[in-house]
mmCIF file of all heavy atoms in Angstrom:
data_model
loop_
_atom_site.group_PDB
_atom_site.id
_atom_site.type_symbol
_atom_site.label_atom_id
_atom_site.label_comp_id
_atom_site.label_asym_id
_atom_site.label_seq_id
_atom_site.Cartn_x
_atom_site.Cartn_y
_atom_site.Cartn_z
ATOM 1 N N LYS A 165 3.045 -16.828 20.785
ATOM 2 C CA LYS A 165 3.691 -18.062 21.292
ATOM 3 C C LYS A 165 5.227 -17.925 21.415
ATOM 4 O O LYS A 165 5.760 -18.450 22.374
ATOM 5 C CB LYS A 165 3.283 -19.275 20.438
ATOM 6 C CG LYS A 165 1.791 -19.666 20.492
ATOM 7 C CD LYS A 165 1.450 -20.781 19.579
ATOM 8 C CE LYS A 165 0.001 -21.134 19.617
ATOM 9 N NZ LYS A 165 -0.453 -21.623 20.881
ATOM 10 N N GLN A 166 5.783 -17.254 20.451
ATOM 11 C CA GLN A 166 7.247 -17.009 20.516
ATOM 12 C C GLN A 166 7.628 -16.161 21.758
ATOM 13 O O GLN A 166 8.577 -16.422 22.425
ATOM 14 C CB GLN A 166 7.653 -16.237 19.207
ATOM 15 C CG GLN A 166 9.093 -15.920 19.110
ATOM 16 C CD GLN A 166 9.394 -15.051 17.970
ATOM 17 O OE1 GLN A 166 8.869 -15.306 16.867
ATOM 18 N NE2 GLN A 166 10.302 -14.060 18.093
ATOM 19 N N TYR A 167 6.699 -15.191 22.030
ATOM 20 C CA TYR A 167 6.986 -14.299 23.235
ATOM 21 C C TYR A 167 6.764 -15.020 24.526
ATOM 22 O O TYR A 167 7.532 -14.901 25.521
ATOM 23 C CB TYR A 167 6.101 -13.073 23.178
ATOM 24 C CG TYR A 167 6.426 -12.107 22.018
ATOM 25 C CD1 TYR A 167 5.366 -11.370 21.516
ATOM 26 C CD2 TYR A 167 7.660 -11.936 21.522
ATOM 27 C CE1 TYR A 167 5.575 -10.436 20.465
ATOM 28 C CE2 TYR A 167 7.934 -11.070 20.535
ATOM 29 C CZ TYR A 167 6.909 -10.360 20.004
ATOM 30 O OH TYR A 167 7.166 -9.444 19.010
ATOM 31 N N ASP A 168 5.684 -15.814 24.656
ATOM 32 C CA ASP A 168 5.111 -16.253 25.914
ATOM 33 C C ASP A 168 4.908 -17.744 26.114
ATOM 34 O O ASP A 168 4.462 -18.248 27.102
ATOM 35 C CB ASP A 168 3.755 -15.593 26.223
ATOM 36 C CG ASP A 168 3.843 -14.070 26.378
ATOM 37 O OD1 ASP A 168 4.952 -13.556 26.587
ATOM 38 O OD2 ASP A 168 2.796 -13.393 26.201
ATOM 39 N N GLY A 169 5.364 -18.509 25.135
ATOM 40 C CA GLY A 169 5.388 -19.966 25.216
ATOM 41 C C GLY A 169 4.270 -20.630 24.441
ATOM 42 O O GLY A 169 3.333 -19.930 23.924
ATOM 43 N N SER A 170 4.339 -21.926 24.299
ATOM 44 C CA SER A 170 3.555 -22.644 23.305
ATOM 45 C C SER A 170 2.083 -22.620 23.661
ATOM 46 O O SER A 170 1.105 -22.768 22.852
ATOM 47 C CB SER A 170 4.001 -24.040 23.203
ATOM 48 O OG SER A 170 3.883 -24.689 24.469
ATOM 49 N N GLY A 171 1.718 -22.344 24.947
ATOM 50 C CA GLY A 171 0.311 -22.283 25.351
ATOM 51 C C GLY A 171 -0.258 -20.844 25.222
ATOM 52 O O GLY A 171 -1.460 -20.735 25.547
ATOM 53 N N ALA A 172 0.478 -19.893 24.825
ATOM 54 C CA ALA A 172 0.009 -18.589 24.778
ATOM 55 C C ALA A 172 -1.038 -18.314 23.554
ATOM 56 O O ALA A 172 -0.998 -18.964 22.621
ATOM 57 C CB ALA A 172 1.155 -17.594 24.582
ATOM 58 N N LYS A 173 -1.915 -17.411 23.877
ATOM 59 C CA LYS A 173 -2.936 -17.008 22.884
ATOM 60 C C LYS A 173 -3.149 -15.556 22.990
ATOM 61 O O LYS A 173 -2.887 -14.920 24.032
ATOM 62 C CB LYS A 173 -4.171 -17.805 23.017
ATOM 63 C CG LYS A 173 -4.951 -17.518 24.300
ATOM 64 C CD LYS A 173 -6.261 -18.261 24.389
ATOM 65 C CE LYS A 173 -7.014 -17.831 25.613
ATOM 66 N NZ LYS A 173 -8.314 -18.436 25.679
ATOM 67 N N ILE A 174 -3.754 -14.917 22.010
ATOM 68 C CA ILE A 174 -4.218 -13.559 22.102
ATOM 69 C C ILE A 174 -5.704 -13.516 22.290
ATOM 70 O O ILE A 174 -6.554 -14.067 21.488
ATOM 71 C CB ILE A 174 -3.950 -12.813 20.733
ATOM 72 C CG1 ILE A 174 -2.389 -12.816 20.538
ATOM 73 C CG2 ILE A 174 -4.489 -11.345 20.799
ATOM 74 C CD1 ILE A 174 -1.999 -12.214 19.180
ATOM 75 N N SER A 175 -6.151 -13.048 23.445
ATOM 76 C CA SER A 175 -7.526 -12.960 23.716
ATOM 77 C C SER A 175 -8.113 -11.643 23.206
ATOM 78 O O SER A 175 -7.427 -10.590 23.162
ATOM 79 C CB SER A 175 -7.796 -13.006 25.270
ATOM 80 O OG SER A 175 -7.291 -14.212 25.797
ATOM 81 N N THR A 176 -9.367 -11.642 22.839
ATOM 82 C CA THR A 176 -10.008 -10.428 22.245
ATOM 83 C C THR A 176 -11.360 -10.204 22.958
ATOM 84 O O THR A 176 -12.033 -11.189 23.421
ATOM 85 C CB THR A 176 -10.268 -10.653 20.761
ATOM 86 O OG1 THR A 176 -11.030 -11.761 20.525
ATOM 87 C CG2 THR A 176 -8.978 -10.743 20.041
ATOM 88 N N GLY A 177 -11.755 -8.962 23.019
ATOM 89 C CA GLY A 177 -13.049 -8.635 23.628
ATOM 90 C C GLY A 177 -13.181 -7.128 23.690
ATOM 91 O O GLY A 177 -12.272 -6.449 24.025
ATOM 92 N N GLY A 178 -14.441 -6.660 23.438
ATOM 93 C CA GLY A 178 -14.702 -5.247 23.575
ATOM 94 C C GLY A 178 -13.778 -4.376 22.628
ATOM 95 O O GLY A 178 -13.556 -3.245 22.935
ATOM 96 N N GLY A 179 -13.373 -4.905 21.521
ATOM 97 C CA GLY A 179 -12.593 -4.174 20.584
ATOM 98 C C GLY A 179 -11.070 -4.151 20.997
ATOM 99 O O GLY A 179 -10.371 -3.335 20.437
#
Side-chain angles (χ1 to χ4, degrees):
K165 289 179 185 297
Q166 177 185 324
Y167 294 150
D168 294 341
S170 61
K173 65 177 184 174
I174 299 173
S175 297
T176 59

